[in-house]
Structures are given as C-alpha cells and as structure tokens.
Amino acid sequence: MSIHRSVRSFGFTLTLMSSLFTVAGCHNGSTTDSAASVLTNTKLVDQNGDTVELASLKGKPLVVDFIYTSCPGPCLMETAKFANVALRLGNDLGSKVTLVSITVDPEHDGPKQLLDYSHQQGADEKGWYFLTGVPADVDKALAGFKLARQVQPDGSVGHMVDMMLVGPDGRLVREYNGEVVKAQDIVDDVKKTLSNG
C-alpha cells in the first residue's frame, strides 16, 4: 500500500516538475511553428550608432540573444557561445546569416558601451548587431519575442538566457536555453533553415 502511494506521489511530483519546467522555459531547443513574425517594426540603434529596424532584418536567418554589458557572468558565456557560432559560420555570417544581441539594460548600454563590449569579447564581426534604444523601444522589441525585462528597484536587471533562431520570414524557428545549448547545435539548425529556404 505504501509503495503504491510512494509511486503515485513520485509520479505526481514528476508531472508537477515537468509542468514547472515548461512554464519556466527551461528547454534546450524547442521547435515552434509561430504563425507571426517576432520581428517588430521597432527602430533600435546598433553599436556603431546606426538605426536598425528589426523587421528590416528579415530575409536571412537570425540568431538572437539578450545581454547587458555590466553582466557579471551569463552574458559573457552567451557572447562567447555566439562568438563560437560566428566562427563556425565563417563567411556565411553577414552574407547569409545575422547574429543579433539586444541589451536588456538600455538605461546604461548605449552604442559606445556595446561597441566597447563587442571589442572586449572579440565579437566585433560583420553581420553581428549589438542593439540598444530607448527603454520603451527595447521593451517593444522584446515583446515581439514574448519576453519582458525584469528591472529591480535598484536599477539592476535580471538575466535572460534565451537564444532564438528566427527564420528568413521573421518567424520563430527554435528557442534555446543559452546556458545549455552547444554552438554547433545552433549552427546545424541555421544550416537546416538555410537549406529549407
């Protein structure tokens, strides 16, 4: 009797944990068939001070992550992973594929800070945009990805470990947990997206 109860309790616990992980978005690489473009008409500014409208980046696959320059750890790891993706893409970066890193701390990350960050991280590559803007525009851009910044009362921001592969049509193809996914897995998915047109 107690064994059956333990098994039932264990099964319930597994179901509950599975549901929580799903809600929390703890996944390594889930595919999606999003019907709408995640790229809004929001105008942001890149690390060189040039205006970039997100929707204008359609036409090539994009890999997107969310960072901030004063981040003590996860963002550095994500940027290093993106640099690895850039290296593996080689000449396809810029010509066939775009990388986009959007700051979640636009209050402190202007174009200069993003440019300095990209240099420090060895991430100043053609075809890799580091984007910022006024907070309302960054929030609008994030909303397209169904994300929202978490700004604490002291002005600090929460980490986002989401990475996303966006198809040439602007629709979300795949979402990754940036702490877990391997650079080669992202590159393989990008190549599949390219071959599917």
Side-chain angles (χ1 to χ4, degrees), residues 88-168:
R88 291 167 189 254
L89 287 172
N91 292 332
D92 286 347
L93 179 61
S95 63
K96 296 181 181 176
V97 184
T98 305
L99 296 181
V100 178
S101 295
I102 300 174
T103 183
V104 294
D105 189 14
E107 290 87 354
H108 300 102
D109 288 343
K112 181 189 182 314
Q113 287 77 19
L114 292 175
L115 184 61
D116 290 346
Y117 178 84
S118 72
H119 285 303
Q120 290 162 7
Q121 304 308 315
D124 188 22
E125 300 272 352
K126 183 179 178 186
W128 187 346
Y129 294 97
F130 285 83
L131 299 178
T132 187
V134 298
D137 287 341
V138 170
D139 290 339
K140 184 179 171 189
L142 292 176
F145 294 97
K146 296 186 172 29
L147 296 174
R149 297 187 303 134
Q150 298 172 352
V151 182
Q152 306 304 322
D154 65 358
S156 64
V157 294
H159 299 290
M160 286 187 187
V161 295
D162 306 78
M163 290 183 176
M164 301 189 185
L165 172 58
V166 179

Side-chain angles (χ1 to χ4, degrees), residues 31-78:
T31 54
T32 178
D33 55 349
S34 176
S37 173
V38 296
L39 302 175
T40 62
N41 292 326
T42 314
K43 290 182 178 173
L44 298 177
V45 181
D46 72 9
Q47 68 268 38
N48 299 308
D50 297 323
T51 300
V52 176
E53 184 176 329
L54 279 183
S56 74
L57 297 176
K58 287 181 187 176
K60 300 175 189 173
L62 280 78
V63 188
V64 184
D65 75 345
F66 309 90
I67 55 96
Y68 60 101
T69 63
S70 61
C71 173
C75 300
L76 298 175
M77 177 273 300
E78 284 192 41

